[in-house]
Amino acid sequence: MEKYKQILRYEHAGISQREIAKILSVSRNTVSKVINARKAAQLDWDQISGHTEAELESKLFPEVRGDSASFYYPMDVEYLMGELKKPGVTKKLLWEEYVKECHTVGKQLPYQYTQFCTHLNRGIEQSKATMYFEHTAGEKAEVDWAGTTYHVVNSETGETQKVFFFVATLPYSQLTYVEATLDMKEEQWINAHVHLFEFIQGSPKIVICDNLKTGVIKHPKRGEVVLNAAYQEMADYYRTAIIPAKPRTPKGKASVEGAVGQITTQIIAKLRHETFFNLYDLNQRILELLVNINEKGFQKRKGSRLEVFLTEEKTYLQPLPKEAYEYGVWKSARVQYNYHIAIDKIYYSVPYHYIKKDVRVRITQNRIEIFHQHARVCSHRRRHGRPGQYVTVEEHMPINHRQAGDWNRHRFIKWANNIGPHTALVIERLLDHYKIEQQAFNGCLSILKLTDKYTEKQLDSACEQAISIIHTPRYRNIKRIIEAQSTNQPGYSQQPTNQSDTSQHVYLRGQDYYGEKD
């Protein structure tokens, strides 16, 4: 079992056992068993939130002791009422199924049929008195897209671009938040949630959304709700539970549905005679109009949305993390022999131990995070601009590469310029040839150290001749040239030797060399 922690997280958020079972695709018996075990162990969410599944299991289900049996009472009245409406389903049949469930739980006894009916009837009577739903402060936020759209104007071309409205409401205080976006795609949807949490300076325990594709992948009538991976990641970051409303049931998020109607008449309609050339100015204007909605007094309730939020609800919200969540996309990569991976043609280092291993990379606007087997191995501040840049952390380099850390491009070129312009050009080309500049350091050092044996004029002249023949000469090329110049032409001047000069001397062997001996 790997869902103990998720069950208790949803229980802490105030979600019913039946809903938890539906969301996680587990039986209601399992949910009840886990919650009862937590209560028996006298643990609260703060005590277990940091535990792993294995640690939590050991605390919830230690070795079985000789506890006395207790009655099993899974009274899910809404479910039972729904079953009773089906053809052929009777209370007797439901009781028989209930008894069978009790046997699967363990040492718990079922109620007799009469007592079962008494509890069921009492629950049915109580369920009729649910005309008003009492919301809990800081518990929920309802989110949706408004059906009405708007537009901004391109100041250069005069073309208009459609704008959509993200709307959110806290059911307890009815505080409302509105934000304009250029599309309704996943990134805009998630970023709007982040801005909502910043607006209310906290996060609720539950977010109720519609069944839109950017948030919910699958919401079957029976079975597990599957959320978009990025949406679930954002919810986990802010420690909130995403609960999609039932399909085609607007009353499942009545507060935000009412807010959509209000912002349509009190914000969008008031903007019809105004023109905006960018999204920022439009959102600033929306916030000005939003203040009037949130500060306007209730008709049948004391205070205003803002007043109730500040005095009664804000303190119950969960505190925000130190840094806001950043929307990110994932991609796979393989670490190359130069211990770097390429993201948008910019190269980021990975510890060299992971060379030729597959990694997962999370890419945000400002950060690159690299994971191997679900564990983060490193992260970088994301670079933008010129392709081909290298972002290298010294700790990621092999030891022999780190030893070159005292050297850098500027130092090599400065040294080469002191010798001569042709030497500097050779060093620059050699540094540019390698993807990792450190790989060229040994070759550059070897070339420059030729001045220990030869003069600077000789080295610069050899570099000039090497460049005329090879675009990027190496140490061995320059060494052969400078040795030939020193041996064959002791009076060699600094005038460059062109390719035609090298063919002016011909070595001839006489007939005695080729003759056979008797």
Side-chain angles (χ1 to χ4, degrees):
M1 177 65 183
E2 298 181 352
K3 297 185 178 181
Y4 296 141
K5 195 169 183 178
Q6 289 179 281
I7 290 172
L8 296 179
R9 175 185 292 173
Y10 286 138
E11 184 223 3
H12 175 68
I15 304 171
S16 69
Q17 294 185 18
R18 178 176 176 273
E19 284 296 324
I20 294 174
K22 183 178 179 182
I23 294 169
L24 299 179
S25 191
V26 297
S27 69
R28 295 191 302 278
N29 292 334
T30 301
V31 176
S32 176
K33 180 180 178 181
V34 173
I35 293 175
N36 289 337
R38 180 195 63 76
K39 292 177 180 178
Q42 297 182 351
L43 299 172
D44 57 33
W45 175 247
D46 292 335
Q47 293 174 304
I48 62 180
S49 59
H51 289 352
T52 64
E53 288 289 347
E55 293 171 342
L56 189 56
E57 183 177 7
S58 65
K59 286 183 176 293
L60 294 178
F61 303 104
E63 294 184 2
V64 179
R65 298 166 295 177
D67 295 338
S68 59
S70 59
F71 286 101
Y72 180 54
Y73 179 57
M75 274 300 159
D76 191 337
V77 176
E78 184 179 352
Y79 168 75
L80 296 176
M81 288 175 61
E83 293 297 302
L84 283 173
K85 293 178 182 179
K86 296 179 180 179
V89 179
T90 63
K91 293 180 181 178
K92 185 75 171 180
L93 176 61
L94 293 176
W95 174 75
E96 291 174 353
E97 293 175 349
Y98 156 75
V99 172
K100 186 179 295 185
E101 288 183 34
C102 290
H103 293 313
T104 64
V105 172
K107 292 184 63 178
Q108 289 185 313
L109 299 175
Y111 286 110
Q112 294 300 314
Y113 176 68
T114 303
Q115 193 68 11
F116 174 84
C117 291
T118 300
H119 287 297
L120 177 57
N121 292 334
R122 185 181 300 138
I124 293 174
E125 291 173 1
Q126 292 174 352
S127 68
K128 295 179 181 179
T130 57
M131 296 299 294
Y132 174 74
F133 185 80
E134 187 70 35
H135 294 288
T136 303
E139 181 185 41
K140 297 178 182 179
E142 299 176 4
V143 296
D144 200 1
W145 291 108
T148 307
T149 60
Y150 192 66
H151 62 271
V152 292
V153 180
N154 188 312
S155 58
E156 296 181 356
T157 64
E159 296 179 349
T160 61
Q161 184 173 3
K162 187 179 290 188
V163 169
F164 306 87
F165 294 95
F166 170 85
V167 185
T169 302
L170 303 181
Y172 180 83
S173 63
Q174 294 296 306
L175 187 80
T176 300
Y177 172 75
V178 183
E179 178 180 340
T181 67
L182 293 177
D183 57 59
M184 294 193 295
K185 295 180 181 179
E186 178 184 87
E187 183 174 0
Q188 300 289 353
W189 172 250
I190 292 177
N191 286 339
H193 282 69
V194 175
H195 299 157
L196 163 66
F197 298 151
E198 293 174 349
F199 178 77
I200 63 178
Q201 298 178 13
S203 61
K205 296 178 181 178
I206 301 172
V207 172
I208 299 178
C209 66
D210 207 347
N211 289 273
L212 70 173
K213 291 297 182 183
T214 51
V216 182
I217 295 177
K218 184 172 66 174
H219 189 179
K221 188 174 182 179
R222 295 195 179 279
E224 183 177 2
V225 175
V226 180
L227 299 178
N228 182 291
Y231 196 26
Q232 182 66 64
E233 185 180 75
M234 182 276 299
D236 292 340
Y237 186 81
Y238 286 104
R239 294 170 295 133
T240 188
I242 305 295
I243 308 296
K246 293 181 180 179
R248 297 177 295 278
T249 54
K251 290 184 179 180
K253 45 184 177 57
S255 296
V256 73
E257 292 289 346
V260 167
Q262 284 189 326
I263 69 107
T264 301
T265 57
Q266 297 185 38
I267 293 182
I268 301 177
K270 290 182 179 181
L271 297 174
R272 69 187 188 280
H273 298 308
E274 301 182 39
T275 302
F276 299 91
F277 298 99
N278 58 70
L279 201 62
Y280 176 81
D281 291 341
L282 173 58
N283 277 320
Q284 291 300 113
R285 178 62 175 140
I286 288 173
L287 289 176
E288 294 174 4
L289 296 174
L290 191 60
V291 170
N292 298 329
I293 295 177
N294 287 327
E295 291 185 348
K296 184 178 180 180
F298 290 116
Q299 293 182 350
K300 299 180 181 180
R301 181 180 175 183
K302 291 183 179 181
S304 64
R305 292 172 172 80
L306 183 61
E307 183 180 347
V308 174
F309 171 75
L310 293 176
T311 58
E312 301 180 24
E313 185 168 28
K314 184 178 178 181
T315 55
Y316 291 97
L317 294 173
Q318 301 177 110
L320 295 178
K322 292 182 180 179
E323 295 184 2
Y325 173 83
E326 279 192 285
Y327 171 81
V329 296
W330 290 85
K331 68 170 291 185
S332 298
R334 173 165 288 189
V335 183
Q336 299 303 311
Y337 284 115
N338 61 12
Y339 46 89
H340 283 69
I341 60 172
I343 303 296
D344 295 333
K345 298 182 180 180
I346 294 179
Y347 301 89
Y348 300 89
S349 67
V350 181
Y352 71 93
H353 309 91
Y354 297 96
I355 287 176
K356 302 308 291 181
K357 291 186 178 180
D358 294 323
V359 294
R360 291 281 289 167
V361 186
R362 185 174 184 270
I363 307 167
T364 72
Q365 181 66 24
N366 300 306
R367 186 162 293 278
I368 301 292
E369 296 178 287
I370 302 168
F371 295 79
H372 181 256
Q373 295 182 351
H374 307 292
R376 190 174 72 171
V377 297
C378 63
S379 66
H380 297 273
R381 179 67 61 181
R382 187 175 180 183
R383 292 277 185 88
H384 299 276
R386 177 178 61 84
Q389 300 179 65
Y390 277 82
V391 182
T392 307
V393 177
E394 184 177 348
E395 288 74 15
H396 297 169
M397 302 165 63
I399 295 176
N400 60 327
H401 285 202
R402 294 185 205 176
Q403 292 173 349
D406 294 336
W407 294 92
N408 55 56
R409 181 186 186 92
H410 175 73
R411 183 174 176 183
F412 278 117
I413 293 177
K414 183 179 178 180
W415 184 0
N417 276 318
N418 291 334
I419 296 173
H422 304 102
T423 307
L425 183 58
V426 167
I427 296 301
E428 286 183 5
R429 289 183 178 179
L430 193 58
L431 289 169
D432 292 338
H433 179 76
Y434 290 93
K435 291 183 177 180
I436 308 298
E437 285 187 348
Q438 288 84 350
Q439 295 175 328
F441 285 1
N442 287 338
C444 292
L445 189 60
S446 299
I447 293 172
L448 297 174
K449 291 289 285 183
L450 286 171
T451 55
D452 293 345
K453 185 176 181 181
Y454 304 98
T455 66
E456 293 181 351
K457 289 183 178 180
Q458 287 177 306
L459 176 57
D460 196 57
S461 178
C463 288
E464 181 181 12
Q465 183 175 346
I467 292 172
S468 68
I469 302 172
I470 306 172
H471 181 271
T472 308
R474 306 295 204 280
Y475 166 74
R476 62 180 179 272
N477 308 123
I478 296 173
K479 184 180 179 183
R480 288 175 181 173
I481 292 174
I482 199 170
E483 287 176 346
Q485 291 174 350
S486 302
T487 303
N488 300 330
Q489 302 179 34
Y492 179 81
S493 68
Q494 278 197 296
Q495 296 299 320
T497 303
N498 55 40
Q499 200 164 7
S500 61
D501 293 333
T502 62
S503 61
Q504 291 177 356
H505 304 283
V506 179
Y507 294 95
L508 299 178
R509 298 180 176 89
Q511 59 183 354
D512 294 338
Y513 178 84
Y514 297 99
E516 295 182 0
K517 294 183 180 180
D518 293 334

